[in-house]
Amino acid sequence: MSETADFHEMREPRIEKVVVHMGVGQGGVDLQNAEEILGEITGQEPVRTQAKEANQDFDIRPGDPIGAKVTLRDEQAREFLETALPIADLSPAQFDDTGNVSFGVEEHTDFPSQEYDPNIGIYGLDVTVNLVRPGYRIAKRDQRTRQIPSKHRLNPEDAIAFLEAEFDVEAA
């Protein structure tokens, strides 16, 4: 199964999904560059994100394209995390109460496949990792929805232990 021997098989955390997001703030060439970079880094076609509300200071209206994101699952998510986690500095403050973690990568050029191009510039990206335990679906399914028992919920300590064991990173 995996290298974490201290978890019971039904309590073994796993990666549900990884969302990689670039917020550019405007459409046009900057957004196209961000989409190309996201596609190269993740190997998957990005989806545009749109503004939900207006912001007069930035001349943004609802529905304006302002960013791009990619959702990775299964093996693609694991492969991406193997390259992204060593770049990031994780701390316990980045974990939420349910064991999910978010971190930022300041420069896309930190990834091995990316080089600096003065015509494009430097883009940062946000990564959100959603960790779950087996059986989490009972809280999300349509019929007979139930709460997950408190003993079975993933907590930050277990999420940190899982990431440290699986990806050889330290959350200090």
Side-chain angles (χ1 to χ4, degrees):
M1 188 79 116
S2 68
E3 300 167 16
T4 53
D6 57 341
F7 287 111
H8 182 272
E9 161 183 358
M10 283 302 288
R11 291 183 53 82
E12 174 79 32
R14 63 183 174 86
I15 302 162
E16 180 186 19
K17 65 182 176 180
V18 174
V19 179
V20 186
H21 174 262
M22 279 187 173
V24 181
Q26 62 194 8
V29 178
D30 287 341
L31 184 55
Q32 282 182 324
N33 290 341
E35 287 175 338
E36 285 178 27
I37 291 167
L38 265 180
E40 290 172 12
I41 290 174
T42 61
Q44 197 169 306
E45 188 177 337
V47 175
R48 286 191 174 186
T49 56
Q50 298 179 339
K52 292 186 179 174
E53 53 189 57
N55 188 332
Q56 288 182 337
D57 297 336
F58 297 109
D59 195 30
I60 294 175
R61 294 188 180 97
D64 285 353
I66 57 170
K69 69 177 179 179
V70 173
T71 301
L72 304 169
R73 296 178 192 272
D74 302 322
E75 199 54 41
Q76 282 184 311
R78 181 172 288 283
E79 288 171 8
F80 177 78
L81 286 178
E82 286 172 358
T83 58
L85 282 173
I87 295 170
D89 294 325
L90 291 181
S91 73
Q94 292 169 307
F95 289 80
D96 69 4
D97 293 339
T98 57
N100 302 316
V101 61
S102 294
F103 59 91
V105 178
E106 289 185 22
E107 299 180 3
H108 74 276
T109 55
D110 291 344
F111 286 92
S113 63
Q114 298 295 305
E115 292 182 11
Y116 176 70
D117 182 353
N119 297 327
I120 293 177
I122 293 177
Y123 288 83
L125 48 105
D126 305 315
V127 180
T128 301
V129 182
N130 190 332
L131 298 174
V132 294
R133 285 200 163 118
Y136 79 98
R137 200 182 83 80
I138 64 164
K140 295 186 183 242
R141 64 188 180 190
D142 290 337
Q143 294 182 350
R144 299 194 59 194
T145 302
R146 299 284 181 263
Q147 283 190 346
I148 296 175
S150 59
K151 288 182 179 179
H152 195 66
R153 288 188 194 128
L154 192 62
N155 58 30
E157 292 79 24
D158 289 345
I160 291 170
F162 171 74
L163 289 178
E164 287 177 346
E166 286 287 313
F167 297 101
D168 197 32
V169 294
E170 256 188 63

